[in-house]
Amino acid sequence: MSSSTRWKQRPEGSTWGDFGPDDQLGRLNLLTPEKVKQGVAEVKEGLSFGLSLPLDYPGGALLNPRRHPPRLKPTDLDGDPFMNMPLRRFDARFTDVVCDDQVNITLQYSTQWDTFAHVGSWFDADGDGEPEKVYYNGYRAHEDVLGPGDLKLASCPCGAEGGSYAMKLGVETFAVKAIQGRGVLVNLQAHVGNARERVGYERLMQIFEADKVQVEKGDMLLFYTGFADLILGMDRQPDMTVLNAACAALDGRDERLLQWITDSGVAALIADNYAVEAYPARKPAGDDPRAALPLHEHCLFKLGVPLGELWYLSELAAWLRAHHRSRFLLTAPPLRLPGAVGSPVTAVATV
Ligand code: UVW
């Protein structure tokens, strides 16, 4: 489907078309050479921080019952597992011993990027009075983002029956872009502590002001809440009673906060918590149709702002606070895994 037939009307407040009719990068387009240089200019000490949890955290399937920890096993040849495999088995002269493994991984189990194919919406993009299932920039469910039963699956590179494949908006587009630029971290934990608080526009602005945090167009904004530290302390046995009442999360129902995200020009939003926004979201007044994940709708569907979740920000946040800084170089490409809607990310902050 061409860009002109994909959509005739765009969601109110969206950026659809602003970065080109067939754009798949959204605000990642703002990671220009100038923005990378601004990030590099923040490298003063040469210290690097890894921003990933161990990918087998949170542990179990309690945080999200669809998502399971990674399972490793060896590759095999004719039923022989390649773990500590001496190659002399194939030729008595060979001295090599080989390990070679594979993994069954839920891509959004742990530290991750959400792509724009992760959350779309029912929206009347073609203006015929009937809503259809669409994603950022009008890309279509069942045409561009494929799941079990979709005819196009048979001809897509994965080809597997019962499989899934994002022909458009897949995470490989983010990997090719490479995701590097200036990161800005706001330390919500220092103000909120470890009790659950929905942080809206006013509270966020107070914290920016108190900590002299400045965010400019094209910056990637990171929220340290302490949530991932609690998860790490639970040793792969998450206590949901504690986690459901823990730490700051953005209030996705706060229209002023959403408007600030639009106006600020941030290129990406990242947090060490479960969903960046508080989930379940606050109940609005009235009974109108609405997004269950309003910040996801605003960022992934309307604006084209990727969301990073469950990042490990503890050591970076402590260092920045001790040095009265909030900016750094952020390098965060996902896996270049064609067709995936999300990806683990082993991001690096350099200060
Ligand atoms: C939720 O499922 C709440 O968020 P995400 O899918 O982005 O992890």
Side-chain angles (χ1 to χ4, degrees):
M1 200 178 260
S2 77
S3 53
S4 56
T5 49
R6 242 187 6 255
W7 59 271
K8 291 201 168 32
Q9 56 186 21
R10 66 183 195 174
E12 201 185 324
S14 81
T15 61
W16 292 15
D18 292 357
F19 296 107
D22 298 320
D23 175 63
Q24 299 181 58
L25 286 176
R27 290 258 186 95
L28 292 181
N29 285 291
L30 302 179
L31 301 179
T32 58
E34 192 49 44
K35 188 51 71 175
V36 174
K37 284 192 272 178
Q38 286 178 4
V40 169
E42 296 297 331
V43 178
K44 301 177 200 303
E45 310 296 331
L47 288 173
S48 298
F49 294 85
L51 304 182
S52 178
L53 285 170
L55 293 185
D56 57 354
Y57 278 75
L62 293 171
L63 206 54
N64 185 322
R66 299 191 309 272
R67 298 177 180 164
H68 300 274
R71 286 186 48 202
L72 290 159
K73 64 177 190 177
T75 58
D76 74 84
L77 186 67
D78 300 329
D80 286 332
F82 260 65
M83 213 65 192
N84 307 314
M85 169 67 83
L87 293 194
R88 72 174 176 216
R89 180 190 172 116
F90 305 101
D91 184 321
R93 292 163 297 186
F94 291 163
T95 53
D96 327 52
V97 177
V98 174
C99 293
D100 192 25
D101 53 6
Q102 54 186 308
V103 64
N104 186 335
I105 191 165
T106 301
L107 294 168
Q108 287 148 287
Y109 182 71
S110 189
T111 303
Q112 63 175 278
W113 277 121
D114 283 347
T115 70
F116 311 143
H118 174 49
V119 175
S121 187
W122 283 98
F123 173 72
D124 179 16
D126 53 17
D128 66 357
E130 291 294 326
E132 44 271 330
K133 287 191 270 181
V134 283
Y135 296 88
Y136 169 74
N137 219 3
Y139 287 104
R140 298 284 171 124
H142 310 299
E143 279 281 317
D144 301 310
V145 179
L146 307 178
D150 289 334
L151 291 178
K152 274 194 170 178
L153 251 193
S155 59
C156 81
C158 75
E161 190 148 328
S164 60
Y165 201 91
M167 310 274 284
K168 301 289 180 188
L169 307 176
V171 80
E172 73 276 16
T173 58
F174 289 6
V176 170
K177 177 64 186 161
I179 310 194
Q180 186 174 52
R182 188 168 67 190
V184 178
L185 185 136
V186 55
N187 193 329
L188 299 182
Q189 202 278 339
H191 295 265
V192 171
N194 281 353
R196 171 59 55 93
E197 182 179 321
R198 290 173 200 273
V199 172
Y201 171 80
E202 267 182 34
R203 178 74 151 134
L204 187 61
M205 294 306 120
Q206 280 165 8
I207 293 172
F208 280 171
E209 171 100 22
D211 288 355
K212 300 185 174 42
V213 174
Q214 286 188 326
V215 182
E216 293 172 16
K217 186 176 169 186
D219 286 341
M220 293 181 274
L221 180 57
L222 292 82
F223 299 93
Y224 171 61
T225 72
F227 190 86
D229 303 344
L230 292 183
I231 283 182
L232 266 182
M234 290 172 181
D235 198 16
R236 298 184 189 83
Q237 307 214 315
D239 180 338
M240 292 313 298
T241 312
V242 172
L243 293 178
N244 284 335
C247 302
L250 296 187
D251 181 358
R253 293 256 186 253
D254 181 353
E255 289 295 337
R256 290 176 73 200
L257 178 64
L258 300 185
Q259 190 59 47
W260 180 83
I261 293 167
T262 298
D263 297 342
S264 65
V266 286
L269 293 181
I270 294 143
D272 62 344
N273 65 15
Y274 173 46
V276 184
E277 64 182 309
Y279 183 76
R282 210 161 31 87
K283 277 209 173 69
D287 222 11
D288 290 344
R290 60 197 177 236
L293 295 159
L295 186 104
H296 279 57
E297 177 190 61
H298 192 69
C299 291
L300 300 180
F301 174 63
K302 292 187 176 179
L303 295 184
V305 170
L307 297 176
E309 298 171 348
L310 286 172
W311 288 32
Y312 175 67
L313 301 175
S314 184
E315 284 156 29
L316 172 67
W319 191 93
L320 290 172
R321 197 152 188 88
H323 294 81
H324 311 288
R325 282 181 55 178
S326 58
R327 291 173 165 180
F328 49 92
L329 172 66
L330 179 63
T331 307
L335 296 178
R336 190 172 177 175
L337 181 59
V341 305
S343 168
V345 51
T346 310
V348 176
T350 315
V351 294

